[in-house]
Amino acid sequence: MINGVAVSTSPGPHLLTELVFPARYEALSDRLGHQLASVLVSPEHETRDLLEDTARALTARGEGLFVPIYAPSGTGKTTLANNLDTFLPGTFTPTLSFAKDVDADTLQTETLKHLREFPVNNQKIVPINIDHREGSPPTGTELAAIKRFLRQPGTGHKALILWPETSPDLSLQMAESYIKIAGRSPVKLPIHISGPPRETWVDIARSTLRLANSLDSLEDLGVEPKDYDPAEYLSIGDYLRAISDDFTRLAMEMLRATRMPLRLAIVFASESSDAGVLTHLTSSNRFGLLDGNALLDASPESEVGRWWSKRRGLLTSAIVRLDARVFGLPPSASIGILRRFGPETVQEQLAAMQIRMPGEQQIVRNIERCDVGKYLLGKSRATFETKGTPTTTSLAAFQLIAETGFQSGKDKLLNYAMAQALTSFTSHKGLECATKAETSLGFCPLIPDNSLVFEREAVCFEYTWRGSDFLTAKNRGNIAAYCLTKIRNYCRELNWVPE
């Protein structure tokens, strides 16, 4: 604790540590939620036909069915059983995942609870997936309870109990045992199922990679699903696990490529009071993260745009490895910083405008209320309005400073002021790090405008001071080219690109 504040060691997890490639249904479902339907592909026609025949037989009999299903591990049994309403939406309700003791009363209770989510006159079949008993077939007592439940009007009579199994022998044993006590089944049991056709596996893997991470073009990092031949794998599970293992290994290798992970934050200090056009150059899902495709689309004819268009894979890799972000710094934050920490000439100008000297607490509040502060505190989105020095006063003050220009080394003096402000901010917010300005990181050749060196990573700030309301649509191309140039410079300094 520092002054009663819980100490943090960095502004949230590095992007590389958050990238995942779920290879199992449970992890994928947990990660994607309602987006899961986007990666689901109907099973082979034979399996689909068997499910339709089973549903028709159940309806015709007016009695529920117990259906053992089997397939090798990784084929997609769980995916199929839990998404029948996606594959046959007019026939099935969402699946009831059942993981309790198998007895008639519990099945009845859970099914009633499930049915309350649907209209009273709902006629769809209720799939019940008993997925926690693989390798442990139902006992005679449990089969009797299942039979009793499946004959209950209003619940069991329109239920389809699915019991997944990898062993065809165990699955056949279950089917024969149930038929002995319940009578002949209207469909041949057990049912052998298959997952999605092999020709769909590459698209499933690419969609999984994109949706699980809320980012496009991640295959450009070096793990491209189309490079994995589905014919070489026994199941889609094996195929996805192979890609997942390589993807995880690649992310870890990237993290270890430098002595410590690096982050890049490009900051545009201007008259603009909000992010403006930056929102069109960044991810809609990750706060401030640069979007390689958007950058190239915005500056296709620039020299750096043409250079990167030939190296799209490297661009994706560089953005991910640097967790590269871009933010605006409004006058409501920058003017207070320059009034307190800026070079003497700037302080005199601001004093002449009767801009009062802010205290450190006010500096900290102003930074916290802008996107740079939110980023350092690990926030996913900015939540405060831009406040601090009144807008009209801070805007006029920034315009006055901009009249003398930011070139000829003047911007370096402003960068030193930013470093002092960040020192105050990190100290007050309990962020343990060393702040540097215009100084080499030491463990690599980079000399950022500012850097915050934490115990296990370094955040590099690159500032550009611009007059006017700069973050507008007319400057979109120039902003994109500037960001692309900074990323290229970092790649060259870090020897990530052969020249």
Side-chain angles (χ1 to χ4, degrees), residues 233-252:
Y233 300 90
L234 294 176
S235 68
I236 188 172
D238 289 340
Y239 172 77
L240 294 177
R241 278 190 287 273
I243 300 174
S244 177
D245 290 345
D246 288 348
F247 184 76
T248 302
R249 191 179 303 114
L250 175 66
M252 293 309 299

Side-chain angles (χ1 to χ4, degrees), residues 38-49:
S38 302
V39 299
L40 295 177
V41 175
S42 289
E44 298 277 10
H45 290 300
E46 183 180 356
T47 295
R48 188 184 177 94
D49 291 345

Side-chain angles (χ1 to χ4, degrees), residues 282-341:
T282 55
S283 167
S284 60
N285 299 298
R286 294 180 181 271
F287 180 37
L289 184 70
L290 286 166
D291 183 321
N293 291 331
L295 292 175
L296 293 178
D297 289 344
S299 56
E301 298 306 318
S302 66
E303 179 275 330
V304 71
R306 293 194 300 271
W307 189 90
W308 275 117
S309 67
K310 300 173 184 177
R311 300 167 175 84
R312 284 179 175 265
L314 176 63
L315 179 58
T316 299
S317 173
I319 290 173
V320 170
R321 293 173 77 170
L322 293 170
D323 197 354
R325 316 257 172 163
V326 63
F327 304 105
L329 185 71
S332 57
S334 62
I335 290 302
I337 291 170
L338 298 180
R339 179 65 181 91
R340 184 173 181 84
F341 301 115

Side-chain angles (χ1 to χ4, degrees), residues 48 164 207 310 328 380 436 466 484:
R48 188 184 177 94
S207 296
K310 300 173 184 177
S380 60
K436 299 180 180 182
R466 305 293 180 113
L484 288 172

Side-chain angles (χ1 to χ4, degrees), residues 211-263:
L211 292 171
N213 298 288
S214 300
L215 290 172
D216 293 327
S217 305
L218 282 180
E219 62 273 9
D220 289 340
L221 285 181
V223 176
E224 165 61 85
K226 72 179 182 182
D227 295 336
Y228 296 74
D229 184 0
E232 295 180 3
Y233 300 90
L234 294 176
S235 68
I236 188 172
D238 289 340
Y239 172 77
L240 294 177
R241 278 190 287 273
I243 300 174
S244 177
D245 290 345
D246 288 348
F247 184 76
T248 302
R249 191 179 303 114
L250 175 66
M252 293 309 299
E253 287 173 356
M254 287 182 172
L255 276 172
R256 296 185 183 116
T258 53
R259 191 177 123 188
M260 65 168 61
L262 295 172
R263 299 178 192 246

Side-chain angles (χ1 to χ4, degrees), residues 395-475:
L395 178 59
F398 193 92
Q399 290 170 338
L400 176 66
I401 295 171
E403 285 178 5
T404 60
F406 297 118
Q407 306 305 314
S408 303
K410 294 177 183 178
D411 58 333
K412 290 188 181 296
L413 298 177
L414 305 185
N415 295 344
Y416 279 107
M418 290 300 303
Q420 292 183 70
L422 290 178
T423 298
S424 293
F425 180 78
T426 54
S427 175
H428 279 76
K429 291 300 177 181
L431 298 171
E432 286 191 332
C433 60
T435 306
K436 299 180 180 182
E438 305 287 346
T439 304
S440 170
L441 289 173
F443 59 87
C444 68
L446 291 173
I447 304 178
D449 291 342
N450 284 177
S451 60
L452 302 182
V453 182
F454 294 86
E455 180 183 4
R456 296 182 179 177
E457 68 176 12
V459 182
C460 304
F461 282 92
E462 299 290 348
Y463 303 103
T464 176
W465 298 82
R466 305 293 180 113
S468 77
D469 183 9
F470 192 72
L471 303 184
T472 58
K474 69 178 182 179
N475 294 318

Side-chain angles (χ1 to χ4, degrees), residues 75-116:
T75 302
K77 297 185 300 298
T78 300
T79 304
L80 176 66
N82 283 331
N83 293 280
L84 292 182
D85 62 316
T86 298
F87 303 133
L88 296 167
T91 304
F92 295 101
T93 72
T95 298
L96 167 60
S97 294
F98 189 88
K100 299 187 176 183
D101 292 338
V102 180
D103 63 72
D105 291 340
T106 306
L107 285 165
Q108 175 81 354
T109 300
E110 293 301 308
T111 303
L112 277 172
K113 189 187 301 183
H114 184 70
L115 286 171
R116 290 194 192 106

